Structures are given as structure tokens and as C-alpha cells.
Amino acid sequence: MAAREIDHRAPEPPFRQIAADLTGESERGELSPGRPVPSEKELVERYGVARNTVRSALAVLRENGLVYTVPNRGTYVCDRNESAGDGQSKE
Amino acid sequence: MAAREIDHRAPEPPFRQIAADLTGESERGELSPGRPVPSEKELVERYGVARNTVRSALAVLRENGLVYTVPNRGTYVCDRNESAGDGQSKE
DNA sequence: TAAGATTTGTGCGTATGTATT
DNA sequence: TAATACATACGCACAAATCTT
């Protein structure tokens, strides 16, 4: 549960490493649609980075259509049976 | 609402071009005391520059007494276009 | 109903590394 | 070398919506 390995000296910036890590989890089905990305706070603790960094990583996933964020609620994994173009309403 | 023209080849560096632009708006009354300079993020998008560049521009306005910045709040236009001596506390 | 906690949104302060001129 | 700009990251504070108790 604690601190994934983030290499601050690697050419890949931390936020991309995190995005890649989360993307991997998503592809491996380790993140189920409905409660994927833990809260930003949890990710901060897990990767040992700043919140901004986590948010940058999540922005990448969002841009890739892997997740969608509901303001003041959380970020969820998209069902991705389909394309990946929309926001996927969550009621 | 999008991308003001910034000439990266002009003798005037971008941050001064931006400062001049904002100063012009201020003089034209397009920036009312209380909510002048949009957020740094908005300016970043508007001018298509890095945040640091925007901050440099705002620093110029601040030095000229045109605006004052409240930490973690925002940057506001000073009430008077007069002198330019104080920081004008905003509580 | 009212707190209080949780979570995301937003905004600024600051530092570092790299690239360009 | 210095000035300028960009990318990235860390920190801190507060707002607002939501969820919990």
C-alpha cells in the first residue's frame, strides 16, 4: 500500500510514471469501473509525491479517456467497452 | 478569449509584452478594481506562455503599483491610477 | 438539522533543471 | 555568462460539493 517506486531522476517525469503505472493497473483489470483511482490524497501517499503531481497524472488518464472525474466526488475508471470519447455520465 | 499575440522574436521579451498588454487594459478601464488580472492559469492560456512568464509579467505590474497580490487568493487592480506607492491591504 | 470529514477545484509561492538566445 | 522561457514539482491555503455521523 505504500510508496510505489518513483524515480525522480528518470527521464520520464514522475507524473508520467504515475500515469503509466495507473494505466497498467487499469489494463490489468486491477481497477474496476466504479472506484478506480483512489483519492488524490491516497495517491499522494502511495507515490510519495505532491498533490499537483497526482493531478497531472490523472489529467493524462483523463485525456486518454481511461477515467472520468466527478467534481467533489472522485475519479472513476471508464467502462471502456467502447471508444473513449465521452465523459460517461455517472448518476 | 484566446491567445493574445505574443511575438517571441520581438526585442521585447514576452513577459514585458504581456505586462504592457495588461497595463493597457488597466488604463482603458477594462480591468476593474477588485477582480483584474485573471488567474495565472487563465493568463497562461490566454497568452500561451508558461506560468513563470505570466508571473514575471505580474511582477512588473506589481512593481508599477498597478496591482497587488494576495497570497493564495489572486491579484487585484489597485484603486488608484495615481501614485503607486503602497501595497494597499485587502482584507 | 447540523456538524464534521472527505474529495476535488482553484490559486498563489517557490525551487530546480533544461533549452534558447 | 546572463536573461528569458518552459516544464515540472513541492508546499500551503481556502472554497465548494458531497458524504457521513
Side-chain angles (χ1 to χ4, degrees):
Chain A
M1 249 8 79
R4 251 70 163 186
E5 300 302 329
I6 292 299
D7 186 348
H8 287 260
R9 280 153 209 68
E12 278 288 282
F15 83 91
R16 286 191 187 290
Q17 290 178 50
I18 295 171
D21 190 55
L22 292 175
T23 296
E25 283 190 39
S26 176
E27 295 176 336
R28 269 180 261 111
E30 292 170 21
L31 293 178
S32 51
R35 219 325 140 56
V37 188
S39 71
E40 295 178 355
K41 184 188 178 192
E42 286 183 279
L43 293 178
V44 162
E45 297 168 350
R46 169 187 298 182
Y47 295 104
V49 298
R51 192 183 159 207
N52 282 343
T53 304
V54 162
R55 285 176 65 74
S56 291
L58 291 179
V60 172
L61 301 191
R62 209 175 299 123
E63 287 165 16
N64 291 340
L66 293 177
V67 304
Y68 60 99
T69 297
V70 180
N72 308 310
R73 207 165 305 181
T75 297
Y76 308 80
V77 178
C78 290
D79 280 329
R80 58 82 133 145
N81 293 323
E82 338 197 350
S83 54
D86 70 303
Q88 190 165 147
S89 56
K90 204 283 168 54
E91 152 283 339
Chain B
M1 251 355 89
R4 251 69 162 185
E5 300 301 330
I6 292 298
D7 186 350
H8 287 261
R9 278 154 209 66
E12 279 289 282
F15 83 91
R16 287 192 186 291
Q17 289 178 50
I18 294 171
D21 190 54
L22 291 175
T23 296
E25 284 191 37
S26 176
E27 295 175 338
R28 269 180 262 111
E30 292 170 20
L31 293 179
S32 50
R35 221 333 151 47
V37 188
S39 71
E40 294 180 353
K41 183 188 176 189
E42 286 183 281
L43 294 178
V44 162
E45 297 168 349
R46 169 188 298 183
Y47 295 105
V49 299
R51 188 185 162 205
N52 284 345
T53 304
V54 162
R55 284 177 63 73
S56 291
L58 292 179
V60 172
L61 301 191
R62 208 175 299 122
E63 287 164 18
N64 291 340
L66 293 176
V67 304
Y68 61 97
T69 298
V70 180
N72 307 311
R73 285 290 143 62
T75 296
Y76 308 79
V77 177
C78 290
D79 280 330
R80 45 196 92 277
N81 303 321
E82 315 190 11
S83 56
D86 70 304
Q88 190 166 143
S89 56
K90 204 285 171 36
E91 150 284 343

